[in-house]
């Protein structure tokens, strides 16, 4: 009955998330349902577990969500995101439309711009190029998703996306953990993904299928040239965030430890990833405002950009915090011991397998990479670290596999970012989800599995 209670609550949470209901409302309801069926006490569990754990996550990561959203919004409002995407795609030309769209979205994501902002910024250019090259529009969401939800989010070292920051708390690492492994994973995903898309384009054209007619949400056209920012200048904030993040992460670890000695359980190495990213994103926001000031000032949208970024960050962090609170409640129930023992019993000599499967499953259930990973690591992160050390697996490898695994089953059809992307493109799941699923679910999952197998065989 206790395991049934957990399974029932997970199924219910998945269902309501798929139907578009807010997890802020339903995560505590599902958590309390599992508690009730397990014979627990509702009010103490809600206030002392759900709220305490959920708000602890918000406390730790609020500045990352806030500054990331602000950075994305000012990059958009100043025309910087548009300038970078426009330059990349038009330098490559119509014959390289697929790789152009993928690189445009990927570079912006790797630079710290929110995936939602990138979707809105790159879609008009992508649609224009797809139309010019007469590529079926139904392939555009998958192409955008390859750059948005895979290598830029979880693979390449130093990416400031939250999916690469969360593991630092549990494994004592930083955002540049396992750079070689992450780079290999990213290159595999880019290469295989682009080849897959090119085959899809070739097959569609062989059948006489082109861009198509009668689409909704078609872009009105490109921005006026006089408003376009020099792409070299536009790239400065992105480069600044990445470079400064790297050097600040290393430098903070060498600061005087006395500055945090009065805070219980806090070490410089533990806070370095967050502090470094805070400083980097603040600098990025300021640079983006300065470089894009002409557009921001004339369009009088600085206030709208800042307010919109703040509002969007609150919704994002509350969604994830609610999912973390839900996971913390579930992990406190008696039935979870059975579930966790089963998961940890999968290939017990190699905790990477259990870690990858657990995070994938929970990311799929919650429809959130950050939410699923947080639930898994909050419940079993300490075990994975201990088991990894015992097996000779470095914390950096555990970090990178956790990050890679979070970007697998998270983008199932009920994922909010997937739904938003399809809405931006004016297409449906029926038209375009097949490619999104192959590129952002199957490909990352297989890549992660392949790397774990290779590391196991060669004892890396």
């Amino acid at each position: 009955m206790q395991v049934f209670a957990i399974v029932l609550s997970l199924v219910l949470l998945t269902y309501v998330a798929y139907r578009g209901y807010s997890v802020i409302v339903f995560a505590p309801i599902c958590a309390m349902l599992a508690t009730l069926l397990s014979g627990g006490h509702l009010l103490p569990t809600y206030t002392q577990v759900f709220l305490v754990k959920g708000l602890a996550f918000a406390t730790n990561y609020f500045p990352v969500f806030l500054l990331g959203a602000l950075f994305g919004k000012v990059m958009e409002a100043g025309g910087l995101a548009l300038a970078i995407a426009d330059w990349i795609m038009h330098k490559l030309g119509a014959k390289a439309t697929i790789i152009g769209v993928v690189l445009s979205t990927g570079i912006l994501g790797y630079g710290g711009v929110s995936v939602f902002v990138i979707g809105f910024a790159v879609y008009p250019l992508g649609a224009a190029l797809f139309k010019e090259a007469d590529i079926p529009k139904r392939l555009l969401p998958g192409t955008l998703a390859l750059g948005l939800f895979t290598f830029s989010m979880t693979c390449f070292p130093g990416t400031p996306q939250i999916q690469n920051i969360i593991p630092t708390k549990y494994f004592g690492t930083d955002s540049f953990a396992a750079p070689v492994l992450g780079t290999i994973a990213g290159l595999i995903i880019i290469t295989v993904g682009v080849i897959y898309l090119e085959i899809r384009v070739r097959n569609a054209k062989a059948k006489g299928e082109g861009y198509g007619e009668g689409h909704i949400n078609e872009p009105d056209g490109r921005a006026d040239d006089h408003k376009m920012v020099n792409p070299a200048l536009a790239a400065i904030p992105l480069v600044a965030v990445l470079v400064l993040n790297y050097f600040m992460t290393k430098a903070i670890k060498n600061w005087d430890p006395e500055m945090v000695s009065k805070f219980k359980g806090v070490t410089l190495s533990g806070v370095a990833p967050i502090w470094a990213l805070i400083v980097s994103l603040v600098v990025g926001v300021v640079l983006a405002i300065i470089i894009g000031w002409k557009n921001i000032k004339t369009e009088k949208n600085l206030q709208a950009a800042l307010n919109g970024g703040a509002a969007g960050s609150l919704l994002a962090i509350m969604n994830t915090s609610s999912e973390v609170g839900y996971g913390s409640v579930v992990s406190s129930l008696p039935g979870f011991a059975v579930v966790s023992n089963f998961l940890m019993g999968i290939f017990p000599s190699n905790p990477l397998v259990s870690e990858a499967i657990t995070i994938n499953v929970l990311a799929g259930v919650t429809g959130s990479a950050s939410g699923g990973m947080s639930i898994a690591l909050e419940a079993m992160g300490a075990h994975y670290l201990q088991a990894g050390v015992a097996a000779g697996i470095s914390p950096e490898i555990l970090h990178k596999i956790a990050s890679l695994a979070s970007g697998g089953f998270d983008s199932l059809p009920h994922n909010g970012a997937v739904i938003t992307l399809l809405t931006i493109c004016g297409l449906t799941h029926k038209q375009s989800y097949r490619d999104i699923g192959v590129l952002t679910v199957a490909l990352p999952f297989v890549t992660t599995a392949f790397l774990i197998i290779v590391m196991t065989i060669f004892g890396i």
Side-chain angles (χ1 to χ4, degrees):
M1 179 63 181
Q2 292 174 337
V3 173
F4 172 77
I6 294 174
V7 173
L8 178 63
S9 70
L10 284 170
V11 170
L12 179 59
L13 182 60
T14 303
Y15 175 76
V16 296
Y18 180 77
R19 293 298 301 270
Y21 290 96
S22 173
V23 295
I24 298 175
V25 175
F26 279 93
I29 293 175
C30 294
M32 293 307 101
L33 173 64
T35 301
L36 180 64
L37 294 177
S38 298
H41 300 286
L42 297 183
L43 290 178
T45 301
Y46 177 67
T47 59
Q48 306 309 123
V49 181
F50 183 92
L51 291 181
V52 169
K53 294 293 186 179
L55 292 177
F57 176 88
T59 300
N60 287 329
Y61 298 110
F62 174 73
V64 177
F65 279 84
L66 174 62
L67 292 170
L70 292 178
F71 182 56
K73 281 295 185 180
V74 295
M75 287 287 291
E76 177 187 33
L80 279 67
L82 179 67
I84 294 169
D86 181 84
W87 182 83
I88 292 171
M89 289 195 282
H90 285 85
K91 278 292 181 181
L92 292 173
K95 292 184 179 180
T97 295
I98 296 296
I99 188 64
V101 174
V102 171
L103 289 179
S104 297
T105 54
I107 289 172
L108 290 171
Y110 189 42
V113 181
S114 162
V115 295
F116 295 103
V117 169
I118 298 170
F120 282 106
V122 178
Y123 163 67
L125 295 172
L129 285 180
F130 266 53
K131 192 169 187 177
E132 180 182 341
D134 202 27
I135 297 173
K137 188 183 180 183
R138 61 182 174 81
L139 300 178
L140 180 56
T143 307
L144 292 169
L146 177 60
L148 290 173
F149 306 149
T150 59
F151 60 90
S152 68
M153 187 176 82
T154 63
C155 297
F156 288 132
T159 175
Q161 299 296 341
I162 190 67
Q163 294 80 5
N164 187 46
I165 302 301
I166 290 174
T168 63
K169 172 186 175 184
Y170 301 94
F171 300 128
T173 51
D174 58 47
S175 61
F176 292 87
V180 175
L181 178 63
T183 301
I184 292 172
L187 292 176
I188 290 173
I189 289 174
I190 292 173
T191 302
V192 176
V194 170
I195 290 173
Y196 167 84
L197 285 167
E198 292 289 0
I199 291 173
R200 292 282 285 158
V201 170
R202 188 165 63 246
N203 290 343
K205 290 194 171 185
K207 297 176 182 178
E209 182 183 1
Y211 184 80
E213 301 291 338
H215 296 299
I216 63 173
N217 286 7
E218 283 292 273
D220 295 327
R222 294 173 55 193
D224 296 334
D225 287 339
H226 72 276
K227 292 184 178 181
M228 292 294 286
V229 180
N230 184 299
L233 291 176
I236 290 176
L238 299 183
V239 175
V241 169
L242 288 172
V243 173
L244 193 56
N245 184 30
Y246 176 80
F247 285 106
M248 286 295 298
T249 298
K250 306 302 179 185
I252 290 172
K253 293 179 181 180
N254 296 318
W255 289 0
D256 184 1
E258 286 298 314
M259 67 171 60
V260 295
S261 60
K262 67 179 181 179
F263 302 104
K264 185 178 179 180
V266 177
T267 63
L268 280 175
S269 60
V271 298
I274 299 295
W275 286 8
L277 195 53
I278 289 172
V279 173
S280 303
L281 286 172
V282 167
V283 172
V285 169
V286 173
L287 287 174
I289 291 174
I290 293 172
I291 295 171
W293 181 247
K294 180 179 179 181
N295 284 328
I296 292 173
K297 180 181 180 180
T298 55
E299 296 176 11
K300 298 180 180 179
N301 61 359
L302 177 60
Q303 183 183 55
L306 296 179
N307 290 349
S313 70
L314 289 177
L315 179 60
I317 197 167
M318 287 308 298
N319 276 331
T320 307
S321 297
S322 293
E323 291 162 347
V324 171
Y326 167 82
S328 299
V329 170
V330 167
S331 65
S332 72
L333 300 176
F336 188 76
V338 178
V339 177
S340 61
N341 287 336
F342 169 76
L343 292 171
M344 289 185 289
I346 301 173
F347 213 110
S349 63
N350 189 343
L352 295 178
V353 177
S354 172
E355 180 186 47
I357 292 174
T358 302
I359 292 175
N360 260 297
V361 170
L362 291 176
V365 166
T366 60
S368 167
S370 55
M373 177 166 50
S374 296
I375 291 172
L377 295 183
E378 187 66 29
M380 292 182 282
H383 164 80
Y384 289 140
L385 181 58
Q386 182 181 10
V389 172
I393 300 171
S394 71
E396 286 76 18
I397 296 296
L398 290 165
H399 170 130
K400 185 51 62 178
I401 292 299
S403 184
L404 291 173
S406 74
F409 290 176
D410 68 308
S411 47
L412 291 174
H414 62 289
N415 175 273
V418 169
I419 294 170
T420 300
L421 179 60
L422 289 170
T423 301
I424 292 171
C425 296
L427 295 163
T428 65
H429 281 78
K430 183 177 180 180
Q431 292 172 301
S432 298
Y433 184 76
R434 170 186 171 180
D435 299 303
I436 294 175
V438 169
L439 294 166
T440 69
V441 177
L443 179 55
F445 180 82
V446 171
T447 300
T448 304
F450 169 74
L451 292 173
I452 291 175
I453 292 171
V454 170
M455 287 189 293
T456 301
I457 292 174
F458 292 98
I460 298 175

